[in-house]
Amino acid sequence: MIQVADSQLFQRIIFLREQIDYHNHRYYVLDDPEIPDQDYDSMYRELEDLELKHPEYASTSSPTNLVGAKSSRGFNTVTHSTPMKSLGNAFSEQEIQDFDRRIREGVHSEKPIDYIAEPKFDGLAVSLRYEKGWLVQAATRGDGNQGENITQNIRSVLKEKTLIQGNFVPQKLEVRGEVIMLRQDFDNLNEAQKRSNQKLFANPRNAAAGSLRQLDPTITASRPLKIFCYAIGALSENPKFTTHADALGYIQTLGLPVSDQIETVQGVQGCLEYYGKMLSKRDDYPFEMDGVVFKVANLDWQEQLGFTAKAPRWAIAYKFPAQEATTQVEAINIQVGRTGVVTPVARLTPVFVGGVTVSNATLHNRNEIWRLDIRVGDFVIVRRAGDVIPEIVSVIQSKRPDETIEYTFPQLCPVCNSKIVYEGEEIIARCSGGLYCHAQKIRSIIHFASRKAMDIDGMGEKLVEQLVSEGLIDTVADLYRLDVETLTKLERKAEKSATNLIEAIDKSRTTTFSRFIYSLGIPQVGETTAELLAETFENFDSLMNANEEQLVGIPDIGPIVSKAIIVFFDQKHNQEVIQDLLELGISWHKVDHIDTVTNEFNDSSEPTSPFRDKIVVLTGTLSITRDQAKSRLKQAGAKVTGSVSKRTDYVIAGEQAGSKAEKARSLEVPLLNEVEFFQMLGDRNYPASNRLIIQNCD
């Protein structure tokens, strides 16, 4: 009669077998694993340990005695000429030392063993069968004895290598390999999937396996798959290889790809050094690795050591530390960055992954939350690779608690309560309270004081951070409340430098309308747009009260820019800071003159200038800088914009003019070269030698 404790033990073994079978099916058949490798390995090792300690519960149908999983119904089943075994795993140096000890005992050698060391690709294992040089069959590993016939699909991966050629092409050859997808190709594929509103792949392994096991071979052909061969499964005529390295070299002579990261190492020390090297460079390689593999180099010894029911005794995989782990979402918080970008962050139950304890993970944006359907309380897979910020890969839907509810993205900034607006196809969320929001204060003050804005000489980033941390300034308006006495109390701020800074602040009170607009840091409003706004509106009140119709009527200002301007001025907090600035003495001339360059050119501002009231676009490289050219045109009464449209009057094209010149031709907008440009300005003696050539991009 089974005791209670034994009954509980047996139930645990049954539970583990069922869980492992379920996850094997998701991994090998559906190409859609639900849990990270770390969790799977933990369950598998627990089951192995229990079966080892309690052989009375052993079973030939246990997943510890099986390879992979049964094939899906979509493909025909084929039988491997020799079984495709899986590998035993090691997770510590001690286990590698134990492996080496077993090898030396098995071959009766006291000398260090030579091993072939190779990367353990995270892809899909396949078998390639050639007859008289032609590929006649390709199959997945399946359950080790039988796999899926994917011959049509693998042809698009091999391309011209469906025919092998060389000095010795056998009657029959079976080669084992791994089909993978490079990281960059994986990223590009997911971008394409996202654009077409299709399901995203969780990782390159899933993408490779899913792409290779498509019932429609044209889909496989469209995917960027690669293969690396790592062993010979069967060979009709034996050229008598001595080592595994010889066999790999032979595979290469046939034109089949073999990894260039494979090395022959000696003894335990050589294995550990190779492991350390590959682990340190793990994130630098273009492909995913989840460990390294060590194989006894001597082929006679491989045959002597033989196999267990599941794996070769002469090889082992030394797994890397997990980069993915399972944890639970405790909360979803909103962070506001220095530029106002609003980012959701998942607060997690702390979990050790990628060598560190992770308790936070970025959710990128609200679209990512919608895509993952992530909720507070969900169990999730979190990934951390190298120095990359941890991110949530997927939600484990089968473990979702019943009480979870859909997450609603906030409409107001959690820091200053200003409205959250969206940019870039409604993906990027940004707080609109740029002049008031405490999360943005340092960035907004630095921008406000910068050379092209209010031009406060000496107001650098470190000083701004110091003033904010000391509580001396809270908004840009507080700059004009500073005095010498206050500044000299700061560390390393002498009276002379404090006096100079106060003078620079006072000097900046008189500015230009366009500079002031630019200094406010309105999203989407750069220098050129600020100049257009200053030229269009007579005063600040008219700009603040402008509607969308008025704004989109200005060249180069479309619906996105106009929305950003309207929302910015609609925020009460921003209005208060602007009013504060004006009351503190910020002013400008009624007519907004732009900064002029050193006047080494003739004045071309006569009313008869052919550029007066014309819309002009600059492109290419001129003998003067882009800013100088803009200045000359503005002095001549022109409006300089950044894009070509039907409303454009002239496009001035320097050397290496690009798409703007082409668009001007297509719209039949007059194109002027540099000589014609200066002639129309009335300056026939433009710099013809000693030119300062500045590359200007479209």
Side-chain angles (χ1 to χ4, degrees):
M1 182 176 179
I2 298 177
Q3 298 178 359
V4 174
D6 289 340
S7 175
Q8 291 176 344
L9 174 65
F10 183 66
Q11 290 301 318
R12 180 63 180 171
I13 290 174
I14 295 299
F15 171 79
L16 289 171
R17 287 173 180 169
E18 290 176 347
Q19 285 293 301
I20 292 170
D21 283 339
Y22 169 76
H23 291 297
N24 277 344
H25 181 75
R26 292 195 68 94
Y27 185 90
Y28 292 107
V29 178
L30 302 181
D31 300 318
D32 186 24
E34 194 176 66
I35 61 173
D37 288 351
Q38 180 186 35
D39 293 3
Y40 177 88
D41 291 338
S42 177
M43 285 193 298
Y44 191 91
R45 301 200 83 179
E46 182 186 353
L47 179 59
E48 274 187 322
D49 186 57
L50 290 175
E51 290 178 342
L52 182 64
K53 292 178 179 178
H54 303 277
E56 66 271 22
Y57 298 134
S59 170
T60 56
S61 63
S62 171
T64 57
N65 292 315
L66 303 175
V67 176
K70 293 292 183 182
S71 301
S72 65
R73 299 177 181 176
F75 293 89
N76 294 328
T77 300
V78 296
T79 301
H80 302 301
S81 56
T82 56
M84 288 187 72
K85 302 285 188 178
S86 61
L87 291 171
N89 292 325
F91 297 90
S92 67
E93 290 187 12
Q94 183 60 54
E95 289 177 288
I96 294 299
Q97 291 170 353
D98 292 343
F99 167 75
D100 177 68
R101 175 182 49 76
R102 293 194 299 270
I103 296 297
R104 286 186 287 106
E105 290 174 352
V107 299
H108 308 292
S109 174
E110 295 182 359
K111 295 181 179 180
I113 302 294
D114 283 345
Y115 295 100
I116 296 297
E118 58 191 43
K120 185 178 183 300
F121 294 109
D122 198 6
L124 184 71
V126 296
S127 177
L128 311 176
R129 183 178 167 190
Y130 288 87
E131 293 184 3
K132 297 181 181 179
W134 289 98
L135 178 74
V136 296
Q137 180 180 285
T140 62
R141 185 199 304 273
D143 64 4
N145 294 311
Q146 293 182 322
E148 298 163 327
N149 189 335
I150 53 168
T151 308
Q152 288 299 106
N153 290 4
I154 206 72
R155 291 183 189 279
S156 64
V157 181
L158 290 168
K159 298 181 174 61
E160 71 276 6
K161 300 307 177 186
T162 53
L163 172 65
I164 55 174
Q165 296 175 309
N167 294 330
F168 176 73
V169 177
Q171 288 292 312
K172 294 182 180 180
L173 170 68
E174 193 169 304
V175 178
R176 304 287 162 77
E178 192 92 0
V179 175
I180 67 169
M181 185 176 291
L182 300 183
R183 287 193 181 107
Q184 185 58 57
D185 292 334
F186 166 74
D187 292 339
N188 294 340
L189 174 60
N190 260 355
E191 283 298 319
Q193 294 286 104
K194 187 184 297 184
R195 287 194 297 270
S196 57
N197 293 319
Q198 297 185 53
K199 180 182 177 181
L200 302 188
F201 293 101
N203 53 55
R205 190 269 169 196
N206 288 12
S211 299
L212 190 59
R213 299 172 71 253
Q214 291 286 330
L215 295 178
D216 181 356
T218 61
I219 297 178
T220 303
S222 70
R223 302 281 173 80
L225 300 174
K226 300 190 182 302
I227 185 171
F228 288 102
C229 299
Y230 57 75
I232 292 177
L235 185 61
S236 58
E237 302 108 76
N238 190 353
K240 194 53 183 176
F241 305 126
T242 303
T243 68
H244 189 74
D246 294 338
L248 293 175
Y250 170 66
I251 291 174
Q252 284 184 296
T253 66
L254 299 175
L256 294 172
V258 173
S259 171
D260 59 3
Q261 302 299 320
I262 296 176
E263 298 180 17
T264 300
V265 300
Q266 194 173 61
V268 170
Q269 190 58 36
C271 290
L272 296 179
E273 288 175 358
Y274 179 84
Y275 173 88
K277 180 181 69 174
M278 298 299 283
L279 177 59
S280 66
K281 297 180 179 179
R282 177 184 193 177
D283 299 314
D284 298 332
Y285 290 112
F287 48 79
E288 291 276 354
M289 285 187 294
D290 57 357
V292 295
V293 177
F294 301 121
K295 301 174 181 175
V296 172
N298 188 302
L299 293 180
D300 289 337
W301 283 355
Q302 285 189 10
E303 186 174 354
Q304 181 180 334
L305 291 162
F307 297 82
T308 66
K310 184 176 179 178
R313 293 190 176 91
W314 42 266
I316 197 167
Y318 190 2
K319 300 290 286 289
F320 287 153
Q323 289 185 302
E324 293 182 352
T326 300
T327 187
Q328 190 172 20
V329 178
E330 296 181 349
I332 297 176
N333 297 150
I334 298 296
Q335 289 185 344
V336 183
R338 288 175 55 156
T339 62
V341 173
V342 176
T343 305
V345 176
R347 306 301 181 190
L348 309 170
T349 302
V351 61
F352 192 77
V353 57
V356 300
T357 299
V358 170
S359 56
N360 301 315
T362 179
L363 290 172
H364 301 291
N365 51 58
R366 65 172 181 173
N367 285 24
E368 184 72 359
I369 293 178
W370 292 340
R371 183 182 72 81
L372 292 170
D373 184 25
I374 189 166
R375 307 176 184 185
V376 175
D378 273 340
F379 287 89
V380 297
I381 298 174
V382 62
R383 178 177 176 82
R384 180 185 181 275
D387 295 326
V388 177
I389 298 171
E391 63 178 353
I392 291 174
V393 177
S394 61
V395 174
I396 304 176
Q397 297 284 349
S398 63
K399 296 180 70 175
R400 168 169 283 170
D402 294 335
E403 66 274 12
T404 61
I405 59 174
E406 289 187 19
Y407 179 78
T408 302
F409 207 84
Q411 295 180 321
L412 300 178
C413 172
V415 177
C416 71
N417 215 37
S418 297
K419 185 178 179 181
I420 292 176
V421 295
Y422 293 91
E423 305 169 3
E425 298 181 353
E426 299 291 306
I427 294 175
I428 300 172
R430 191 185 298 274
C431 166
S432 58
L435 291 178
Y436 176 82
C437 183
H438 285 212
Q440 303 175 63
K441 68 171 68 173
I442 291 178
R443 177 263 178 189
S444 66
I445 294 168
I446 291 170
H447 174 77
F448 181 85
S450 63
R451 184 177 62 84
K452 294 183 178 180
M454 300 302 284
D455 193 20
I456 302 177
D457 188 31
M459 187 61 68
E461 183 172 351
K462 289 184 178 179
L463 177 58
V464 171
E465 291 176 348
Q466 189 178 10
L467 290 169
V468 171
S469 65
E470 295 284 344
L472 298 176
I473 55 176
D474 195 48
T475 72
V476 293
D478 292 329
L479 291 172
Y480 297 95
R481 295 186 174 93
L482 294 172
D483 53 38
V484 173
E485 183 180 357
T486 300
L487 291 176
T488 52
K489 293 178 182 178
L490 295 174
E491 185 180 355
R492 284 181 284 184
K493 180 61 68 174
E495 184 174 350
K496 176 62 176 175
S497 61
T499 300
N500 290 340
L501 181 58
I502 293 300
E503 289 177 354
I505 292 172
D506 286 339
K507 182 181 177 182
S508 72
R509 293 178 197 267
T510 302
T511 183
T512 66
F513 193 11
S514 61
R515 277 179 173 269
F516 182 66
I517 295 170
Y518 175 67
S519 74
L520 299 178
I522 305 168
Q524 306 289 338
V525 176
E527 293 175 80
T528 301
T529 304
E531 290 175 359
L532 290 171
L533 293 171
E535 292 169 358
T536 303
F537 296 96
E538 294 184 359
N539 53 55
F540 204 82
D541 285 342
S542 60
L543 170 60
M544 289 182 67
N545 296 315
N547 57 36
E548 184 176 3
E549 184 180 358
Q550 290 174 289
L551 291 168
V552 296
I554 303 171
D556 285 354
I557 294 182
I560 294 175
V561 178
S562 65
K563 178 182 176 182
I565 295 169
I566 291 170
V567 171
F568 181 86
F569 286 127
D570 192 45
Q571 303 307 304
K572 184 179 179 181
H573 300 316
N574 291 339
Q575 296 172 12
E576 291 171 350
V577 175
I578 292 169
Q579 184 61 36
D580 203 6
L581 285 167
L582 297 177
E583 290 176 357
L584 285 164
I586 303 298
S587 63
W588 52 86
H589 297 298
K590 187 175 181 180
V591 178
D592 184 26
H593 295 292
I594 63 163
D595 293 342
T596 57
V597 296
T598 302
N599 192 7
E600 51 189 342
F601 309 105
N602 295 330
D603 182 16
S604 303
S605 59
E606 296 86 354
T608 56
S609 168
F611 288 116
R612 180 162 298 282
D613 298 325
K614 301 298 183 182
I615 298 174
V616 182
V617 173
L618 293 163
T619 183
T621 302
L622 302 171
S623 60
I624 58 176
T625 68
R626 181 68 61 90
D627 285 343
Q628 288 173 328
K630 281 184 180 180
S631 178
R632 297 299 310 280
L633 285 165
K634 287 181 178 292
Q635 290 175 33
K639 292 185 178 180
V640 182
T641 66
S643 59
V644 181
S645 69
K646 291 181 178 179
R647 299 177 60 189
T648 305
D649 293 298
Y650 296 107
V651 172
I652 299 169
E655 296 178 9
Q656 299 178 347
S659 58
K660 292 178 184 177
E662 291 299 322
K663 188 170 183 180
R665 293 188 185 96
S666 67
L667 296 175
E668 297 183 350
V669 174
L671 273 169
L672 303 177
N673 60 32
E674 187 168 0
V675 174
E676 293 168 330
F677 169 42
F678 280 99
Q679 286 177 342
M680 289 180 66
L681 285 173
D683 186 351
R684 302 178 184 278
N685 298 314
Y686 75 97
S689 60
N690 299 320
R691 296 178 180 178
L692 175 63
I693 302 296
I694 306 294
Q695 181 65 49
N696 295 302
C697 299
D698 280 339

